[in-house]
Amino acid sequence: MIEGLNIKTLDDVNVSNKTVGVRVDFNSPIDPATKKILDDTRIRAHAETTLKELVEKKAKVVVISHQGRKGDPDFASLSEHASILAKLLPAKVKFVDSIFDEKAINEIKGLKPGEVLVLENVRMWDGETKSASPEDHAKTPLVQSLAPLFDVYVVDAFSAAHRPHASLVGFAPVVKHFVAGRVMERELRALYKVRNNPERPCIYVIGGAKAEDTAEIISNVLGNNIADKILTGGLAANLLLHAAGKNIGEVNVKILEEKGFLELEPELQKLLKQYPGRIVLPVDLAVESDGKRVDVPVDNVPNLPIKDIGVKTAQEYSRIIKESRTVVMNGPMGIFEDEKFSLGTKLVFEAMATSKAFTLIGGGHTLASASKLGYSDKISHVSTGGGALIEYLIKGTLPVIEVLKQYSK
């Protein structure tokens, strides 16, 4: 049971010789030309925890997941995912190219204890992505066909938990046991800690190229007194600096305008006035001139693209982080892919790694930067969630979490 949330986990059910449906998130980066999987991190995350445990406990495991969306380049079959899973598990792993027809049902009925069956991409069925209540989803052919076969249903797809889709919530009203898997459990324990009971000082670091959630995150974490300070980098910092009246250069204003971020400025201006000293902006920035990194004060930014926070800013952020007890980071400080402009992100990670704080990072680019710079294994908790993480930090819950709380009894 996850304390504070009253959600059952695998510790609360007997899975030996039981048929267990497991909703994982195998959604992986796909090469649009070859349709080959480029990174198996998410498959590995489930294989090394929930699925391995179920196999060792001799459950009959039925894996349900999605890959991409219909019409998108990364929409693909789960056959390769199953092949990768077979190499990661000490078990026989089978794949069936259907979801809930007679062929799939017969394969499920034929499973032996300790075996794993991966069903086809659940989004090949159009009813999967409709947002509806658990009770309405329970009436769909997916749930009506598969629920009678499952003794236990495990939800392990935290990164999709902000979507009330059929395979995520529809089994809750009709299966005997509806529980959180180990990936979900680990995420919820870490996120509950940083949002509901953080050790102080608590610092949030917001960066990256997606600034659309900046105002909402700041408003919630400061308004609810979750964070003591917010450190800013990336486009979020550029937007806040512009909102604060700083001249960041026409080229950078144009980038913000093209992305539609300037319309957020009135709200950000209010927040800057409402929380003086708690929203920390860069004092210097890095631009590229003649192929070289040049650090400039925020009061003297040339009309060149901003590519990182400056060294003085990174050093000040490092000092604040080292004095903190909780640090949550979403988004790198600059264009970390270019070594010249990875410095800000690297110094922030180094401060997190050497601090005594509980540290949590999430979001695709944050994870990619941590991996590239060699800090993934030096962070207390690396979240698999992108959109789900942001929504949880803003709202303190997610649709799938609410369903787990309601039906995990």
Side-chain angles (χ1 to χ4, degrees):
M1 190 73 76
I2 303 174
E3 301 80 11
L5 295 171
N6 294 322
I7 290 173
K8 280 186 178 179
T9 71
L10 287 173
D11 293 326
D12 301 299
V13 289
N14 173 26
V15 296
S16 178
N17 204 30
K18 307 289 187 186
T19 303
V20 180
V22 190
R23 179 43 159 107
V24 298
D25 187 357
F26 279 177
N27 193 37
S28 303
I30 297 272
D31 185 316
T34 64
K35 295 291 183 183
K36 293 291 183 185
I37 293 172
L38 298 172
D39 180 76
D40 66 359
T41 301
R42 281 186 170 170
I43 302 171
R44 194 174 292 275
H46 294 288
E48 292 173 352
T49 55
T50 305
L51 298 178
K52 181 172 179 280
E53 181 177 341
L54 290 170
V55 164
E56 288 174 346
K57 289 180 174 177
K58 298 299 180 186
K60 304 169 193 175
V61 185
V62 181
V63 175
I64 300 173
S65 187
H66 72 278
Q67 173 60 55
R69 291 186 182 90
K70 275 191 176 179
D72 287 354
D74 64 344
F75 184 67
S77 168
L78 294 189
S79 58
E80 189 188 356
H81 303 67
S83 298
I84 292 171
L85 185 63
K87 295 172 185 173
L88 298 171
L89 285 177
K92 183 177 181 180
V93 177
K94 298 187 280 186
F95 170 74
V96 60
D97 59 354
S98 60
I99 306 165
F100 55 81
D101 63 9
E102 190 176 350
K103 185 177 179 183
I105 289 169
N106 287 336
E107 288 286 351
I108 294 170
K109 287 180 177 178
L111 278 173
K112 294 183 177 66
E115 290 186 344
V116 179
L117 175 68
V118 178
L119 302 182
E120 185 53 284
N121 183 349
V122 71
R123 287 189 179 170
M124 289 187 177
W125 169 60
D126 289 336
E128 164 64 10
T129 54
K130 290 176 182 172
S131 291
S133 68
E135 294 75 20
D136 284 340
H137 276 315
K139 298 170 188 172
T140 61
L142 170 80
V143 179
Q144 290 288 304
S145 300
L146 298 183
L149 305 172
F150 296 149
D151 300 295
V152 178
Y153 197 79
V154 180
V155 183
D156 210 28
F158 171 78
S159 42
H162 53 317
R163 300 187 177 104
H165 289 173
S167 64
L168 287 156
V169 302
F171 290 90
V174 290
V175 293
K176 186 176 181 182
H177 299 290
F178 187 72
V179 305
R182 297 305 186 194
V183 171
M184 177 72 80
E185 178 186 357
R186 191 173 62 212
E187 293 278 7
L188 295 186
R189 287 188 189 280
L191 289 170
Y192 187 84
K193 180 175 183 176
V194 300
R195 198 183 189 281
N196 298 80
N197 191 28
E199 284 191 62
R200 306 284 180 172
C202 173
I203 305 299
Y204 273 49
V205 185
I206 299 174
K210 295 180 179 178
E212 56 265 38
D213 299 310
T214 302
E216 208 170 357
I217 293 173
I218 292 172
S219 178
N220 276 274
V221 299
L222 293 183
N224 292 310
N225 203 31
I226 296 161
D228 298 293
K229 284 185 178 178
I230 293 178
L231 313 181
T232 61
L235 286 190
N238 297 355
L239 180 60
L240 281 156
L241 285 167
H242 189 255
K246 298 291 184 183
N247 179 9
I248 61 170
E250 192 178 319
V251 64
N252 296 300
V253 176
K254 189 164 182 177
I255 291 168
L256 297 175
E257 185 178 19
E258 286 172 352
K259 290 182 175 289
F261 294 159
L262 292 182
E263 62 192 45
L264 299 171
E265 286 201 347
E267 179 63 22
L268 291 171
Q269 286 165 349
K270 285 182 195 171
L271 291 169
L272 286 165
K273 287 178 185 174
Q274 193 174 352
Y275 301 107
R278 294 179 69 187
I279 303 169
V280 186
L281 306 182
V283 296
D284 61 345
L285 300 160
V287 297
E288 186 169 18
S289 180
D290 296 326
K292 295 179 181 176
R293 177 189 174 111
V294 179
D295 285 42
V296 295
V298 292
D299 292 322
N300 192 25
V301 179
N303 191 30
L304 293 169
I306 296 166
K307 296 197 170 183
D308 193 13
I309 56 172
V311 173
K312 287 181 181 176
T313 300
Q315 289 172 340
E316 176 61 9
Y317 285 7
S318 296
R319 183 192 66 77
I320 294 169
I321 288 167
K322 284 179 180 177
E323 293 174 357
S324 303
R325 300 298 294 182
T326 303
V327 183
V328 178
M329 179 180 179
N330 183 262
M333 297 293 93
I335 302 174
F336 69 90
E337 297 92 342
D338 185 333
E339 194 174 340
K340 297 189 297 293
F341 302 103
S342 65
L343 181 65
T345 306
K346 187 173 183 179
L347 288 179
V348 166
F349 277 139
E350 182 63 24
M352 291 172 73
T354 55
S355 75
K356 294 178 180 177
F358 177 84
T359 55
L360 183 150
I361 65 172
H365 285 95
T366 318
L367 303 192
S369 61
S371 177
K372 181 178 172 63
L373 299 172
Y375 289 95
S376 295
D377 59 349
K378 297 172 184 175
I379 301 297
S380 307
H381 181 75
V382 178
S383 175
T384 58
L389 172 67
I390 294 295
E391 189 169 324
Y392 187 91
L393 294 177
I394 291 170
K395 298 179 179 177
T397 191
L398 297 169
V400 175
I401 295 173
E402 289 304 302
V403 176
L404 275 164
K405 285 159 73 173
Q406 181 182 354
Y407 286 99
S408 181
K409 294 185 173 73

